[in-house]
Structure formats: structure tokens, C-alpha cells
Amino acid sequence: MIAPLPPVATARSYRPPGSLVIRIEGVTKLYRMGAETVHALRGVNVEIRRNEYLAIMGPSGSGKSTLMNMLGCLDTPTGGRYDFNGKNVAHMVDDELAEIRNREIGFVFQTFNLLPRSDALHNVELPLVYAGVGPAERRERALEALKNVGLGDRVHHKPNELSGGQRQRVAIARALVNRPSILLADEPTGNLDSRTGEEIMALFEQLYDQGNTIIVVTHEEDIARHARRIVRLRDGLIERDERPGA
Amino acid sequence: MTRGIYELTESFRIAFGQIRANAMRSVLTALGVIIGIVAVTLMGTAINGIDIGFNRSLALLGDDVLYVQRWPWRRVPDWWNYVNRPAIQVEQAERLNRIFEATPGSLLEVAVPVGARGTNVKAGDVKLGGVMLFGTNSDYSRIVTAEVAAGRLFTEFEANAGRSVCVLGSGVAENLFPGRPALGQTVDIRGQHFSVVGVLAKQGEFLGLFSFDNQIIVPLNAMRKLWGNRMDLQLRVKVTDKTKLTQAEEELTGAMRRVRGQLPAERDNFSINQQQAFKEQLDPVKTGIAVAGLFITGLSLFVGAIGIMNITFVSVKERTKEIGTRKALGARRRTILLQFLIEAVSICLIGGAVGLAITYVTCLGISGALPELPVEFSGSLMIVSMAVSILTGVISGFAPALGASRLDPVEALRYE
């Protein structure tokens, strides 16, 4: 299934894949819409390792969003097996999934999803609150995460006092603050102009170099090109799993 | 454990942020709770006041004194069984006292005859109508419930001799001798001059019906010189142990039947009254007032609770996407549940505190304007109403909060 390692490109770094983080085997997802049954996923197999930078692509209706929800432990599959760091999460209950989301997954949303009345610092602290980290450490780690995305001087700004690109940086800091196994970004540049979008993608590049594992879900070829590996979905199945830049 | 505390502080932070952000809406919602809490606490205060008033009045009767009279202290539908009862005689008190002395371990200490009638009195140019005149002997000092504010009660010698001395209730003293000491003055009762040897301390009204301060006490023998037997005579009997009132009453019934020479088959031709009888009559009334009052005022609190529930539903709906985000970041069900519960409880607590403050000020106003009314703003009332506020918040916030906690994260995130 896994293609041989592509040759190293001059323009960008490749890091050797590490241990297995995600293994999906024969995963299916059915939705019942009234009398009709929709097969969103029809048997997907995928393995994702530490240090990968992966894009999931596909047109609307391809099952891309369903797969992302599954990978993010927001939803559970109808059939098949999903191992996250060796633990089968396919049959976990709500609160167990919340625990995984909190500790292992950093979400970045298209619409940023920041709390409008909280400043950047508190937004970034939030996952640490749910993880039970004390106030002092929380603050310290959140400040560090904000500094890392270049917002060290904006920590007390509310979302409406920040530009779109800055908001997405806050969201990325929030996603990384609890040191997750994967960063899961859903159309991270969808609400940004192309120049700001490129800035965010450059930040992703930098985060990848720092040792983060990144999964980007997108329908834009330009965005997907930044990844080291592209998984293309069509009609609920993996159409191609390619490693460009070779 | 510590995580719970962090989540709790986070919940309070969200709640107060939310209340501040929606100030107008929160104030209007809290208003429902404020009105409810004011209504309930004012009612509670009133009920408390009624209770205190009852007990104060009953204490004036003495809780260790039995009253032997022709009529009982309750309504009798068969009045014809009572109307022909023989009158109570002064001599019967002496005979009762002899029986008490002869009975080893008697629960009865002393029987005191008290004659009562209404009359007009005069002091100089001041005339006073509708005064209760009591005639008794020197044993009265053993059953009296009022303090003697000035002077003394009359002596055994004065009582036996029927000397023209009197002890005034505080109201009579003030009315007859305004602004000057009554002690040593003379009161004209039915043309007879009585010199004032004592004045009683203020006692207050009995259930708002008549005032215990509107009385004059004279030796019974002096009273009989003026009216003969045209007075209502009763025997007041002091018991040795007020925890054994029932046994004491039985003993007194037996003694009184002996004194009256009643045959075993005959029904008692006298009644023994005590404050307990009043209590038994008044307690159902009190309970009725309390239940009805709290139910009616509780309705307004219920309306307030519906307001809270409504606003919490709206809050959950508005922030569906935020709930989705929080769940994606790792908030568990109980965290979300707690967040919205605390929001509902916070509004209720603020409403409850404001309501209590309004009640407190109202109580101060009432007791300032009408010091006679026994209005009591108690600490327990405060605790109870804050507990009721919290309970209102929990009950009304629970359904919407539970709904929020069970939202599917995928759908919540998609919600616009």
C-alpha cells in the first residue's frame, strides 16, 4: 500500500516517516437520509505515520468530510477498524473520543471557530483547561504556542481585533498547544485570500519541519501540492494515494 | 479532581461573560426570578411574623397555667350544655389548694381565683373606658406573666382586707397619667379611690384582639365590695412541671370534681383551658395560610423558572457551533452540561440575591413604619431562598443543558 519513499526534492525537506499513528482498515460509513441510505465511505484503507504531511483531496460528495470527521474522532465508522496509536477507537463512547480529541488531535477549521468573547490567549488555553492543566502552566504553554505562530504581540486581542490570517494562526496555536499526535486542518485557507493562504501554508511547512504530523483536507490542488503525500477520494473510495515531488 | 475545578472556573467565566454580553436579556430573565424570590420571601416573612405573633400572644397566657372556667376556649355548638353550669366560687380555690397540699407528688402548685369585668375608670379629669379589671389575691404574684415595671403587687394583708390598692397595666398608666409616674396616684373605680402601688411592664396585644396593657389588678375582696358576684370568676392553677401539662390537667379535673362533689356518671360541669388549646385551634389556620400563600407566590417563581429555561434553550441554540468547537477541543459531556447549568444557576443566584435585598429593605421599611407588626427577616429565610434560587436554576437549566451536552459534534460544528 505504501509507496516507496520518493527522492528528496531540493526546495523542501522530507522527514523520514516514523511510527504508525493511524491505521484505517475497511472503514465504511452509512447515513440514513429518510428512506435512502447513503454510502459515504465504502471500505477505505489508509495508514498514516508520524512526520507525514498528507493532503486528503476529492470533490464534494467524495466522502472527504466523512473521512476527516472519522480521522478526527468526531464520528465513528459504521464498519471496519480504526486504530489510533494502536488503540481501536471505532467503538469508543463520546467521552473517550473527547479524551482522544483533546490529547491526540489538533483541529484547524475553515471558519477558525474561535470563541468571539475570549482573547487569543484564552482561546489557546482552552484545550489545556479540558486536559486539566493548571493556570500557570496553561498560560506559559499558550504564550509559547502563540509566539511559535508569530502572534507573541497579539495575545490579548479578541478575534474581532485580528485579521483573518491572524485568527487562523490563533486557531493553529490552539490546535498545537496540547502537543497532539496529528494536526488536522479542514480547508484551512478556505476563508482567506490567496496571499494570506500562502502565508498559512508556509506556516504549515515550518510546523512540519518542527516535527508535526499534518493532515490537510482540501479541494484545492494548489493547497494539496504543499503536502508530501496526496490521498484522492472518489465515491467513498480511495482513488489514488500519491507522493508528488519525486 | 483538579480538572473538575478548572472546568468549573471556566464554566463560571463563560457564564458571567455570557451574562455581561447579553446584559438586557439577562436582566429581563433575572427579573422573573427576582419577582418570584421577593414574593416567596415576603410570604415567608409574613408567615414567620404570624407565627411569632401567635407565640408572643400565647406566652402572655403563661405556658404553665391552667384556667378553670365555665366555658372552654373553643367554639361550642352545643352551648345549652354549658350555659347552666354552676358559677366558679372563690372558696373553690381554697379547697383546691388544700387538696393539692394533701396530695403527695401533686403536679399542681397553687390555685388563684381571678375575677374579671370591664369597667370605666377616672383619674382627676381623665376618664378611661373599657378597662379590664381583674380582682385576685396575693398568690397572683406566682402566676403573673408580666414584669412589674414600678412598685409592687399587693400584699397578702392588703388582699385579705380588701384594701383599695391597685396595679395598673402600662397602657392604663400612660393614658391616665400621661408623662408622669402613676405610682402613688389615685384611680377612681366606681366612686372608690384606689391608690396605685405598682405598674406592669408593657405586654402587648393578644392576637390583635385586646391589649394586656389595658388592665387594672385589684384585691378580689375590694372588687367584691363594689360588684358582689357580678363578675366572671375563673381559677388559674399553676403546674409544677410544664412538660406534664396533660397529667396535671387530669389531676386538676379530678380535684375539681371532688370540690364540686360531682358523681362519677356526671359530666364535668367546668372547663379546663390552657394555651395549648389555642395552639391546636390556631395551628391548622397557620398551616393553611402558609401552604396557600407559598403555593400562590411559588407560582410566580415557577414563571421565573420557565423564563430561565427558555433563555437557556436560546443560549444553547445560539452557541451550537461553539459547543461543537468545544467538543472538538476535548470538552466532555459533563463539561458542556455543567457550563449551561452554571449559566442558568448564575442568573438565578443573581436574581435571588437582588430579590432578597429587596425583601430585606421592604422588611426594614415595614418594621420602621409599623413597629407593632412582628416582621422578622431571618437568616434561615436567607439560606432557604438562596437554596431555592440554586434549585430553580438547576431544575430549569437541566433540560437545555442536557440537550447541549448530547449534541453530535459533527452536526454542531456544521450548524450555522
Side-chain angles (χ1 to χ4, degrees), chain B residues 266-277:
Chain B
E266 278 179 317
R267 282 209 263 169
D268 296 344
N269 57 11
F270 54 90
S271 289
I272 295 175
N273 296 314
Q274 48 161 308
Q275 63 156 347
Q276 195 59 33

Side-chain angles (χ1 to χ4, degrees), chain A:
Chain A
M1 192 70 209
I2 294 172
L5 218 64
V8 177
T10 46
R12 47 185 178 177
S13 60
Y14 281 84
R15 289 166 43 241
S19 56
L20 200 61
V21 180
I22 287 171
R23 195 169 75 178
I24 283 180
E25 245 177 42
V27 158
T28 58
K29 183 71 184 182
L30 301 182
Y31 288 111
R32 219 166 282 280
M33 309 272 257
E36 241 178 299
T37 307
V38 178
H39 292 260
L41 295 177
R42 295 165 182 273
V44 172
N45 300 301
V46 107
E47 284 189 345
I48 300 171
R49 294 179 173 275
R50 209 168 285 281
N51 294 340
E52 281 204 274
Y53 185 175
L54 177 126
I56 296 175
M57 283 209 70
S60 64
S62 61
K64 179 180 61 173
S65 297
T66 308
L67 181 59
M68 187 205 67
N69 290 336
M70 211 78 72
L71 287 173
C73 293
L74 290 165
D75 208 350
T76 50
T78 314
R81 186 178 174 89
Y82 177 13
D83 288 343
F84 196 106
N85 277 338
K87 268 182 286 182
N88 186 4
V89 300
H91 304 296
M92 281 189 174
V93 295
D94 246 30
D95 281 356
E96 291 171 314
L97 289 173
E99 195 87 22
I100 300 261
R101 292 195 292 266
N102 181 239
R103 296 186 186 278
E104 306 287 1
I105 299 164
F107 286 93
V108 175
F109 302 96
Q110 178 176 356
T111 50
F112 321 134
N113 293 23
L114 300 175
L115 304 185
R117 274 186 293 279
S118 300
D119 62 11
L121 185 66
H122 184 244
N123 265 294
V124 176
E125 278 186 13
L126 203 55
L128 299 176
V129 172
Y130 296 139
V133 177
E137 192 191 339
R138 217 150 66 196
R139 192 183 159 82
E140 190 184 321
R141 278 167 66 176
L143 282 172
E144 192 191 303
L146 279 167
K147 218 172 285 171
N148 197 36
V149 298
L151 287 178
D153 55 345
R154 292 279 193 280
V155 295
H156 291 302
H157 287 59
K158 300 247 168 85
N160 60 8
E161 298 159 347
L162 296 169
S163 72
Q166 288 170 332
R167 285 183 212 181
Q168 195 59 302
R169 282 166 191 270
V170 174
I172 291 167
R174 179 178 69 183
L176 292 173
V177 74
N178 211 11
R179 299 177 196 125
S181 294
I182 59 169
L183 180 69
L184 186 58
D186 178 20
E187 304 278 9
T189 60
N191 273 23
L192 302 173
D193 61 66
S194 56
R195 221 202 58 184
T196 318
E198 279 306 318
E199 278 174 28
I200 293 296
M201 292 323 287
L203 176 61
F204 273 31
E205 201 71 39
Q206 181 194 324
L207 295 172
Y208 171 66
D209 286 340
Q210 286 172 5
N212 291 292
T213 307
I214 301 173
I215 302 173
V216 176
V217 179
T218 183
H219 67 277
E220 285 180 73
E221 208 56 62
D222 288 348
I223 298 303
R225 252 206 307 271
H226 288 86
R228 307 298 186 268
R229 176 183 169 196
I230 301 176
V231 172
R232 293 179 192 275
L233 282 176
R234 182 174 290 275
D235 297 333
L237 285 169
I238 292 182
E239 190 186 39
R240 280 211 316 272
D241 187 344
E242 57 194 34
R243 292 169 193 271

